[in-house]
Amino acid sequence: MTLAFSNGKGVIGTVDAQDAFEPERIVVTGGCGFIGSSFVHHVVRERPGVHVTVLDKLTYAGNPDNIAGLPSDRVELVVGDICDAALVDRLVSGTDAVVHYAAESHNDNSIADPSPFLKTNVEGTYTLIEACRKHGARYHHVSTDEVYGDLALDDPAKFTEETPYHPSSPYSSTKASSDMLVRAWTRTYGLRATISNCSNNYGPYQHVEKFIPRQITNIIDGVRPKLYGKGENVRDWIHTEDHSSAVWDILTKGRMGETYLIGADGEKDNITVLRMILEAMGRDPEDFDWVADRPGHDRRYAIDSTKLQRELGWRPAHTDFAEGLKQTIDWYVANESWWRPAKEATEARYKAQGQ
Ligand code: NAD
Ligand code: DAU
């Protein structure tokens, strides 16, 4: 049987009924990070019957304040490591599904020291899928478009689900490795899994090490923003709330064993984004510093999300990047107490790298 779903005006997608899935209890790993916490808020807001257990190690990138204030009968935080097999086994035994966000996520850190990336991104994923295999839990794997490597700046192509893997950095190679583990567990053991590969997220609660928050908070501090290389690298920006709605759709309507690319047609080069931030904050658009380029710096990412849109009827809600950027700037201006504790150490790390 096939289920159809509409946007109120007409049918925009269908899903095989055998794959429709309504979990009551889910484990969200990395739910105190930037994107995982957005997903937790999304589920609490949109799905009143679902209980969320967040498993998070609270590394430098995890902050329990990101999910503070959510109802305690709906959300439980377990502080722990996804590499802890006994803990993972216990949590997975009592859940319908695992949505796996936890990762070491920053390229520059992976270049300085790859080892925690291998441990968390590869061994952590292995630990989770073994537990899901044992207990028959549904598994959704949150991954990145960076597994596909990069596109030339003048290439009209975009990444699709068929693009060969070609990761460039220690970070993206560990994410690619984890995707491969999930694919193998699906084929060999029949793990009920899906994978999503999303482009660059922006929005509130993003760590100040990342491009957009780093520049906003530098400007607030009276420091000139820092642009790598020639500023011509292109990223395909998507609001984190759109990423969250897409992951929910894939979890509940996606076909088993499938990969879905998530993107919102938000391609922009870095210098354009930086000038937009400077202008939105009332500064001269040329008031920034050129700094050392990232080794192996990927040139361009671009996502073709046709499969996700056609099969599952997903659409992004935040399609006005300038507006989303303005709201993000306003959030950092209003929430200095959230980002201030991480700022000094982050900039010290960059300074040591000449960035
Ligand atoms: P983040 O760095 O903001 O958060 C990562 C979270 O994982 C933190 O809360 C951290 O404490 C937790 N964590 C790290 N190691 C852990 C471990 N061993 N055990 C338990 N918890 C651990 O990352 P993010 O930007 O929110 O990215 C989340 C996921 O989305 C990652 O898998 C990333 O690869 C993927 N992704 C990110 C983007 C992006 O633009 N940021 C785009 C596509 C995909
Ligand atoms: O594409 C998805 C990926 O997007 C995710 O998988 C990663 O977890 C996430 O960190 C992000 O990776 P990027 O390396 O693209 O994001 P970052 O914010 O580090 O950098 C964005 C671009 O801005 C990149 O071309 C490097 C550049 N940059 C970055 C910083 C921090 C600068 O020019 N100056 C900076 O200070």
Side-chain angles (χ1 to χ4, degrees), residues 12 14 41 131 299 334:
I12 55 172
T14 59
H41 281 272
R299 293 161 297 176

Side-chain angles (χ1 to χ4, degrees), residues 105 144-145 171 200 211 214 226 228 235 270 294 297:
S105 70
T144 169
D145 59 356
Y171 161 70
N200 283 64
F211 178 57
R214 184 184 185 203
K226 314 291 179 201
Y228 295 176
R235 296 295 181 263
N270 293 338
R294 173 183 285 171
H297 196 172

